Amino acid sequence: MRTISLTPQEEILRQLLLDVSNYIGMQDGCVTPQLRFTGGWVRDKLLNVTSKDIDIGIDSMTGYKFGTMMKQYLDDPAIRIKYGEDVLGGLAKIEANPEKSKHLETVTTKILGLDIDLVNLRKETYVEESRNPAMEFGTPEEDALRRDSTVNALFYNLNTSEVEDLTHRGLQDMGLGVIRTPLPPYQTFRDDPLRVLRCIRFASRLGYSIDQEAEDSMSDQSIKDALRAKISRERIGIEIEKMLKGPQPRHALALIDRLALYNTVFTDPNQSSQLIVDTTSWSKSYHQLSQITGYVHTSASTLGSLQTVKKILVNDDHDLYLAWLLCALTPWAKTENPAIQKPGAKRNPPMAAVVAREGLKVENRSTNVIKDAMVHLPEIVASKAAISTESQSVSIPMKRKQASLSREGLGMAIRRWGRHWRSSVLVALLTEVMEAKEELEQDQIVEQYAAWLTLIESLCLLDAYALKPIVDGKQLLRVFNRASGPWMVIALDIAMEWQLRNPGKNSPEVAIAEVKARQKELGID
């Protein structure tokens, strides 16, 4: 039998739990619970991956009852001295809910710096209209077979210190690098369609393939329909976020693409008739982003351009997550919102933002980034095109080209695009790559964006959106001695253009003189 080498903290935890189990067995009317570390912790330990999240399966009582008796056990001062005064954190009870029966009486707590979930072993019985099964106490075998994949169904028995593979496939599938369901995949996904996305997430996280029979079931239209009907969009959004924040988001998106799940996952659930978007060229987008972020399958000739793009557009982990989220939505970039525009109402949001908000329940801040990126896309493409020597004389008049590449022209554009302009530029780049017909054209697009971004950087405009104006509205009201109105916006823009054109000069008087000289543009006498 396989065993696992425990860290000192894990060994103390194991002994503590066994002591609690023996204490419970000595109480009237109680049997000694058998305990197991279950699921992801076992998998990660076998892969030599550090894990601080441990699920503890209990065979004869709820997690809440076990946690309550553990607190009783630790109330003994001698026991606290043995394990240390701060071994046990606060126990948090999750009330049993018959309508959401996966939420049995479990306990989440922190012990020895490890995040612990205490829950009883269980078996599940599903009904057609819900992914939330009826739960009852189960055997270790029944608990293993209910899980989404064999590699997540491994147990570590605290009494024997041995790994238990009760599906008889988990260890083998880990060796093969395969995600396989313990039970027949069609019924597994029919019972709980969220397992489709969980299998994709674990395949991408671990770098595994998915068993062919499972893939066939995941692509089945009835499973797709069940995923849309039975799973809340919040749960879908959580799985997608975990994929995109994981180590291999490109792998996850490629699986969604290959299994024809895009229009099931990335959709507006409120549409009376589902709007289908074309994903034929989507692979170009996520392959390109993987090249930008990880220089995967990159030629020496394009490496410099990719490094420039990444350096300027992707600065931290949050930028990286946003980049992959935006990449996932690029098929929607140029799709018109079919909703009827109400007279006098705000412009309907772009479909990509609607899909993010309604289909994935993305939080408002990121949804606004997506919306802005889609709105600014045409202007960004036009601005970047001005630097292309191939298109200068054909598509952009020289005067317009010079204006768009001037310091004030670029600076004012970045101020319009706002603080998340880098994300907007990335969407424009990926959208153009998706539309490219040949790989050489894709490389040229990246080179053009790299040259354009290098120009912006050389002009010290990367933070132009945050530049503090040296002229404000109050000053202009005093100078022109009139009420505020539409003229004010134009006047402030003229002053900012002067400020951008003259970096390092901080004279409000000279900037205001520029506004006076162009007073006709304000539409006032």
Side-chain angles (χ1 to χ4, degrees):
M1 292 289 290
R2 291 283 293 274
T3 187
I4 287 176
S5 177
L6 301 182
T7 66
Q9 291 86 352
E10 291 165 346
E11 182 56 49
I12 294 172
L13 174 65
R14 171 182 169 275
Q15 191 57 57
L16 167 64
L17 292 170
L18 289 175
D19 286 350
V20 173
S21 179
N22 290 330
Y23 165 78
I24 293 172
M26 292 186 293
Q27 309 307 305
D28 290 341
C30 293
V31 298
T32 302
Q34 298 297 304
L35 306 177
R36 292 167 172 84
F37 292 166
T38 67
W41 179 89
V42 183
R43 178 202 65 226
D44 287 346
K45 289 291 287 188
L46 291 171
L47 294 171
N48 294 316
V49 175
T50 300
S51 177
K52 291 188 174 294
D53 297 322
I54 305 179
D55 293 344
I56 299 168
I58 309 161
D59 71 341
S60 59
M61 62 176 57
T62 66
Y64 178 65
K65 185 174 181 180
F66 186 92
T68 300
M69 299 191 79
M70 179 163 62
K71 287 187 71 175
Q72 292 176 6
Y73 175 70
L74 289 173
D75 281 343
D76 185 334
I79 299 300
R80 285 203 169 266
I81 291 172
K82 175 181 178 180
Y83 285 104
E85 195 62 35
D86 298 324
V87 162
L88 186 64
L91 291 176
K93 178 183 177 183
I94 302 174
E95 297 286 348
N97 184 339
E99 294 182 2
K100 299 289 186 183
S101 55
K102 280 203 170 182
H103 301 290
L104 295 176
E105 288 189 329
T106 68
V107 161
T108 300
T109 190
K110 187 178 281 289
I111 303 174
L112 297 164
L114 302 169
D115 294 315
I116 306 300
D117 280 349
L118 300 169
V119 62
N120 60 273
L121 299 177
R122 55 199 190 270
K123 66 178 179 179
E124 304 173 340
T125 304
Y126 285 87
V127 294
E128 182 67 22
E129 63 272 9
S130 175
R131 68 171 284 260
N132 296 305
M135 290 285 193
E136 55 186 292
F137 280 90
T139 65
E141 291 80 3
E142 288 169 333
D143 193 272
L145 291 173
R146 72 176 179 81
R147 295 174 180 264
D148 50 34
S149 63
T150 58
V151 299
N152 289 339
L154 298 167
F155 296 158
Y156 174 77
N157 189 308
L158 271 63
N159 294 89
T160 64
S161 299
E162 292 179 337
V163 174
E164 297 174 334
D165 183 4
L166 302 178
T167 70
H168 307 294
R169 294 297 300 267
L171 293 172
Q172 179 183 349
D173 287 341
M174 283 189 68
L176 295 172
V178 172
I179 296 295
R180 189 192 319 273
T181 58
L183 295 174
Y186 181 85
Q187 194 58 48
T188 296
F189 299 136
R190 187 74 182 174
D191 287 342
D192 184 358
L194 189 66
R195 289 168 174 159
V196 169
L197 298 183
R198 285 178 56 82
C199 285
I200 291 174
R201 173 160 66 87
F202 284 112
S204 65
R205 174 183 167 184
L206 301 171
Y208 284 8
S209 62
I210 298 177
D211 169 63
Q212 187 59 55
E213 186 182 357
E215 282 201 3
D216 293 342
S217 297
M218 293 162 79
S219 300
D220 188 280
Q221 187 59 50
S222 65
I223 299 298
K224 295 180 194 177
D225 292 341
L227 181 57
R228 284 177 61 88
K230 294 173 70 171
I231 307 302
S232 74
R233 302 314 296 192
E234 288 85 358
R235 289 298 305 155
I236 290 175
I238 288 169
E239 287 299 321
I240 294 299
E241 181 177 350
K242 288 179 179 179
M243 291 179 204
L244 301 183
K245 289 183 175 179
Q248 298 189 63
R250 186 207 65 81
H251 188 184
L253 296 184
L255 283 169
I256 289 172
D257 192 11
R258 183 161 57 81
L259 297 173
L261 289 165
Y262 187 90
N263 280 290
T264 301
V265 175
F266 298 99
T267 186
D268 176 11
N270 299 323
Q271 291 281 344
S272 55
S273 59
Q274 185 183 359
L275 189 62
I276 303 296
V277 71
D278 181 16
T279 58
T280 306
S281 300
W282 183 38
S283 61
K284 297 178 185 177
S285 178
Y286 55 76
H287 286 315
Q288 185 64 74
L289 184 56
S290 69
Q291 287 188 325
I292 291 170
T293 57
Y295 314 132
V296 179
H297 305 303
T298 299
S299 65
S301 60
T302 59
L303 180 59
S305 295
L306 292 167
Q307 290 173 331
T308 296
V309 170
K310 180 182 180 182
K311 178 188 71 172
I312 295 177
L313 299 187
V314 184
N315 294 315
D316 54 33
D317 287 344
H318 182 66
D319 285 349
L320 185 61
Y321 162 66
L322 270 180
W324 282 108
L325 177 60
L326 289 160
C327 174
L329 295 164
T330 47
W332 289 104
K334 293 192 174 181
T335 302
E336 292 292 330
N337 189 329
I340 298 174
Q341 182 70 48
K342 297 179 181 179
K346 289 183 179 179
R347 179 182 174 184
N348 287 332
M351 275 306 301
V354 174
V355 169
R357 184 187 66 215
E358 302 298 334
L360 303 177
K361 296 301 180 182
V362 172
E363 44 87 22
N364 288 337
R365 185 172 60 176
S366 295
T367 298
N368 287 333
V369 174
I370 295 163
K371 181 189 72 174
D372 290 345
M374 304 306 162
V375 169
H376 299 315
L377 192 156
E379 187 182 4
I380 290 171
V381 171
S383 179
K384 181 274 309 178
I387 205 168
S388 170
T389 56
E390 293 182 1
S391 62
Q392 283 178 9
S393 60
V394 177
S395 59
I396 301 178
M398 184 57 67
K399 185 175 181 181
R400 179 182 163 196
K401 182 182 92 67
Q402 291 172 343
S404 64
L405 294 180
S406 66
R407 191 174 195 277
E408 64 267 32
L410 285 169
M412 292 299 289
I414 290 172
R415 291 178 69 81
R416 286 192 298 276
W417 302 334
R419 66 188 303 264
H420 295 292
W421 70 273
R422 292 173 173 85
S423 295
S424 298
V425 170
L426 186 61
V427 167
L429 186 158
L430 296 177
T431 302
E432 283 204 78
V433 166
M434 279 177 56
E435 295 173 344
K437 292 181 172 59
E438 298 179 0
E439 187 174 346
L440 178 60
E441 186 181 351
Q442 296 174 35
D443 291 343
Q444 290 172 343
I445 290 168
V446 175
E447 290 167 4
Q448 290 168 14
Y449 274 93
W452 181 67
L453 289 167
T454 299
L455 173 63
I456 291 172
E457 184 179 41
S458 70
L459 294 171
C460 301
L461 290 173
L462 296 179
D463 297 321
Y465 64 88
L467 182 62
K468 184 178 180 180
I470 60 173
V471 174
D472 61 30
K474 291 181 179 180
Q475 293 168 296
L476 293 173
L477 289 174
R478 288 195 298 269
V479 169
F480 288 95
N481 193 27
R482 62 172 58 242
S484 183
W487 67 272
M488 177 64 74
V489 175
I490 302 171
L492 288 171
D493 280 351
I494 292 172
M496 178 53 69
E497 287 173 5
W498 180 91
Q499 187 174 341
L500 288 164
R501 194 163 53 248
N502 297 276
K505 296 182 179 179
N506 296 304
S507 171
E509 294 78 15
V510 180
I512 290 172
E514 173 79 4
V515 177
K516 287 182 176 180
R518 296 169 58 181
Q519 186 167 338
K520 286 185 178 181
E521 298 177 35
L522 307 182
I524 60 177
D525 298 329

